[in-house]
Amino acid sequence: ERESQRITPVVELLVGEMSLKIPAGESSLYHPAEYTLPVPVTIHSVLPHMHLLGRRCRSWAETPDGRQFPLVAIDDWDFNWHSRYHLRRPLRLPAGTRVIHEAWYDNSTANPVNPHSPPRRVTWGEGTHQEMGALFLDVTTDSTADQQRLNQHQKSYLAGRLRRLPDGG
């Protein structure tokens, strides 16, 4: 078997709810998101993503039989720490596993890195004056067919989230 035939493409999944709206002055907004895997995958790395209002986040996977696997937890978020965290051992998960990502935000004057003074309502967006709350997963699948199904499922998931953007996507 040739070496190139053993290379498995990595799929990057996003778990996030783009309907994020953080009121001015809110010091502890909770914002969850989840994604259900349509095929078995192996997770190789995770990357939580928030901007300046993010305070903490945690993510885990829950299999259909109820087992839970922690993925990442950051109790004192720092925007400058954006990093991909590689699992020591890749984590194999069955189809039907829910990946849950929870994030908390501080849009008050008590947040020393709040980009707005005074605080103002903040919604999902790519700029640091806006906010995000997402978990990116680098995964592999068992087959090309599973990879194609996963890519299509993720595309539908993202399209549904984009329709929920505050400006209608």
Side-chain angles (χ1 to χ4, degrees):
E1 185 174 305
R2 292 190 4 225
E3 186 69 26
S4 64
Q5 292 173 326
R6 291 186 295 187
I7 294 174
T8 304
V10 171
V11 175
E12 183 175 67
L13 299 178
L14 180 144
V15 179
E17 268 307 326
M18 298 171 191
S19 60
L20 179 62
K21 296 177 186 106
I22 310 170
E26 173 63 55
S27 64
S28 187
L29 181 83
Y30 170 72
H31 190 73
E34 72 174 63
Y35 179 74
T36 301
L37 299 169
V39 298
V41 303
T42 301
I43 298 178
H44 299 275
S45 68
V46 300
L47 187 156
H49 182 83
M50 296 189 290
H51 294 166
L52 297 169
L53 300 180
R55 297 316 309 142
R56 68 186 188 104
C57 65
R58 68 180 183 145
S59 304
W60 70 94
E62 186 173 315
T63 61
D65 65 6
R67 290 178 297 147
Q68 292 187 356
F69 298 93
L71 297 174
V72 66
I74 299 174
D75 290 328
D76 189 12
W77 178 260
D78 185 320
F79 179 72
N80 298 306
W81 294 347
H82 276 127
S83 187
R84 187 168 305 278
Y85 298 91
H86 293 270
L87 280 62
R88 283 194 184 126
R89 285 186 308 277
L91 177 60
R92 176 119 171 106
L93 296 169
T97 295
R98 292 182 323 129
V99 177
I100 296 107
H101 178 68
E102 297 179 318
W104 288 264
Y105 302 89
D106 180 355
N107 190 14
S108 73
T109 55
N111 180 350
V113 294
N114 191 332
H116 306 287
S117 182
R120 68 168 178 82
R121 180 178 181 263
V122 174
T123 59
W124 183 279
E126 293 188 17
T128 54
H129 62 286
Q130 298 170 307
E131 195 52 75
M132 288 185 158
L135 177 70
F136 295 93
L137 305 168
D138 281 344
V139 305
T140 54
T141 59
D142 295 339
S143 68
T144 301
D146 278 357
Q147 180 192 350
Q148 290 169 345
R149 185 166 171 220
L150 180 60
N151 282 331
Q152 189 57 44
H153 192 265
Q154 176 74 177
K155 185 177 175 182
S156 293
Y157 171 85
L158 293 175
R161 289 343 171 253
L162 286 170
R163 284 192 291 276
R164 296 183 203 163
L165 278 169
D167 66 1

